[in-house]
Amino acid sequence: MSLYPAALENLIRQLSRLPGIGPKTAERLALHLLRAPEEQCQALAAGITQMKTTIGLCSRCGGLSDQSLCRICRNPSRDHGVLCVVEQPADMVALEKSDAFKGCYHILHGALSPMDGVGPDQIRLKELFLRVGQEGVTEVVLATGTSLEGEATAAYIAEQLKDLDIKLTRIASGVPVGGDLKFIDQVTLKRAMETRHAF
Amino acid sequence: MSLYPAALENLIRQLSRLPGIGPKTAERLALHLLRAPEEQCQALAAGITQMKTTIGLCSRCGGLSDQSLCRICRNPSRDHGVLCVVEQPADMVALEKSDAFKGCYHILHGALSPMDGVGPDQIRLKELFLRVGQEGVTEVVLATGTSLEGEATAAYIAEQLKDLDIKLTRIASGVPVGGDLKFIDQVTLKRAMETRHAF
């Protein structure tokens, strides 16, 4: 039963396709946009279209970029000999925000997951091994997730690169800073204990 | 610090202007749209633009409409002698969903609120009194909200129409159907008791 005019019902339907936006929220957002200034709606619509047309992947690292090479790959002051391998562009952004890494990235756009049909050819692993061979890489930091798939992907990469003369590291997993031990799950605590280091 | 390409940062900014969408949610939505099929993004962008250009207000009731008269005002099988006064288009839709009303509506687009500078001239009251005089209205149902502003608006309308030979009614307020008495606030319970009726 369509109670709003067709164009509004259509917008509600389009908005409710977004993740985490149910029909009620979509209705609220659509009614908000209807009342919002023309410029704001135009800016949002144009923003969506523009984002889709201008953003592609960096030809080297696979990060999001509006140019052939992304800002980090173009930056001569970054250490191009250290590659940090992550699953998604958002992971790279999270690491950049932490300001703890001055090397370059390699974004896989996924993690190995045979159950979902994601094998080595479905993610950007070939490109990683090519870069390691060509770019004079001295260290590969495995920063895939700590999920089963992330761990499997890290293990796979480590196995493939083990015979090369490069340093292979894995980001630490353990108790989050400020985390209360009694609220941390057992697997994390076990890992934190196993990978304990000299104080 | 802009870590995503400019077009993506722009979309995140536009999305976070929506009500209830914080920067984190906006980032998640933008990244979702970036991965989503081209058609879906185009449909969303077009939906926003189209909604803004095609939807206006019904010249009679003030409801949302893509034509000069809305679907309800155009419908000859509705009772055009009974007007239900509501604050917002969404209120009208909620009443329509309940399927309990076969008359026509009048949407005020607001409620009296002197503190916010909303007087009788800022909402569609003049249009209401004009309709009551011209359209052979026999009953006006006051269905403004039960907030202070909604009650004040209902009282104002009742005062203005009291000398005319029309029936004036107010939607009941009381315990919601299925509501547990012990969780209902005191003001609502007081009202429910005061407006009790023969069983």
Side-chain angles (χ1 to χ4, degrees):
Chain A
M1 187 166 56
S2 88
L3 294 166
Y4 287 115
L8 188 54
E9 289 281 347
N10 172 51
L11 180 58
I12 294 173
R13 200 164 46 242
Q14 294 301 334
L15 286 169
S16 57
R17 293 173 72 182
L18 296 173
I21 309 268
K24 284 271 176 192
T25 309
E27 181 180 337
R28 194 165 49 82
L29 291 177
L31 287 172
H32 171 88
L33 284 171
L34 187 62
R35 277 192 299 263
E38 182 71 29
E39 313 86 74
Q40 185 183 340
C41 295
Q42 285 308 335
L44 177 57
I48 295 169
T49 316
Q50 218 169 29
M51 183 266 298
K52 287 299 265 192
T53 50
T54 62
I55 297 182
L57 298 188
C58 168
S59 60
R60 191 178 290 164
C61 74
L64 302 176
S65 177
D66 44 17
Q67 297 182 36
S68 156
L69 281 184
C70 74
R71 204 163 359 177
I72 292 173
C73 288
R74 281 202 309 271
N75 188 344
S77 69
R78 305 282 301 213
D79 185 346
H80 287 255
V82 184
L83 287 193
C84 177
V85 180
V86 294
E87 292 179 22
Q88 297 293 350
D91 301 332
M92 186 196 102
V93 168
L95 281 167
E96 279 298 289
K97 279 183 185 159
S98 79
D99 212 20
F101 182 68
K102 293 294 165 218
C104 290
Y105 291 90
H106 188 85
I107 291 97
L108 296 174
H109 289 276
L112 294 178
S113 175
M115 295 273 283
D116 304 314
V118 181
D121 293 338
Q122 274 70 53
I123 59 179
R124 298 181 68 261
L125 279 172
K126 208 166 56 222
E127 291 87 340
L128 171 64
F129 300 142
L130 219 66
R131 288 183 71 185
V132 170
Q134 293 175 344
E135 293 179 19
V137 170
T138 55
E139 178 178 354
V140 169
V141 184
L142 300 167
T144 51
T146 51
S147 64
L148 210 61
E149 290 80 11
E151 295 287 3
T153 309
Y156 180 87
I157 296 171
E159 176 64 25
Q160 297 289 316
L161 298 179
K162 73 174 191 298
D163 296 330
L164 297 178
D165 183 26
I166 53 171
K167 204 164 136 190
L168 266 176
T169 52
R170 177 89 171 108
I171 49 160
S173 63
V175 180
V177 177
D180 198 328
L181 252 69
K182 66 175 169 291
F183 298 133
I184 307 292
D185 63 288
Q186 298 171 346
V187 183
T188 301
L189 278 182
K190 188 156 180 274
R191 180 80 62 92
M193 190 55 77
E194 285 167 359
T195 56
R196 67 190 183 273
H197 49 79
F199 190 73
Chain B
M1 187 167 52
S2 87
L3 293 166
Y4 287 115
L8 188 55
E9 289 280 349
N10 172 51
L11 180 58
I12 294 173
R13 201 164 45 242
Q14 294 301 336
L15 285 169
S16 58
R17 294 173 72 182
L18 296 174
I21 310 269
K24 283 272 175 192
T25 309
E27 182 179 338
R28 194 165 48 82
L29 291 177
L31 286 171
H32 171 87
L33 284 171
L34 188 61
R35 276 192 300 262
E38 182 71 27
E39 314 84 76
Q40 185 185 341
C41 294
Q42 285 307 333
L44 177 57
I48 296 169
T49 316
Q50 218 169 27
M51 184 266 300
K52 286 301 264 192
T53 51
T54 63
I55 297 183
L57 298 188
C58 169
S59 60
R60 192 179 290 167
C61 74
L64 302 175
S65 177
D66 44 17
Q67 296 183 36
S68 157
L69 281 183
C70 74
R71 205 166 358 183
I72 292 172
C73 287
R74 281 201 310 271
N75 188 344
S77 69
R78 305 282 303 211
D79 186 346
H80 287 255
V82 184
L83 287 191
C84 177
V85 181
V86 295
E87 292 179 21
Q88 297 293 350
D91 301 332
M92 186 197 102
V93 168
L95 280 168
E96 280 296 291
K97 279 183 185 158
S98 78
D99 211 22
F101 182 68
K102 292 296 164 213
C104 290
Y105 291 90
H106 188 86
I107 291 97
L108 296 173
H109 289 276
L112 293 178
S113 176
M115 297 273 282
D116 304 314
V118 181
D121 293 338
Q122 274 69 55
I123 58 178
R124 298 180 69 260
L125 278 173
K126 208 166 55 220
E127 291 87 341
L128 172 65
F129 301 141
L130 220 63
R131 287 183 73 186
V132 170
Q134 294 175 342
E135 292 179 21
V137 171
T138 55
E139 178 178 355
V140 170
V141 184
L142 300 167
T144 51
T146 50
S147 64
L148 210 61
E149 291 81 10
E151 295 286 4
T153 310
Y156 180 86
I157 296 171
E159 175 65 24
Q160 297 288 315
L161 297 180
K162 72 174 190 299
D163 296 330
L164 297 177
D165 182 26
I166 53 171
K167 205 165 137 189
L168 266 176
T169 51
R170 177 90 171 106
I171 49 160
S173 64
V175 181
V177 177
D180 198 328
L181 252 69
K182 64 176 171 292
F183 298 133
I184 308 292
D185 63 288
Q186 297 171 345
V187 183
T188 300
L189 278 182
K190 189 156 178 277
R191 180 80 61 92
M193 191 53 79
E194 284 167 358
T195 56
R196 67 187 182 275
H197 49 77
F199 190 73

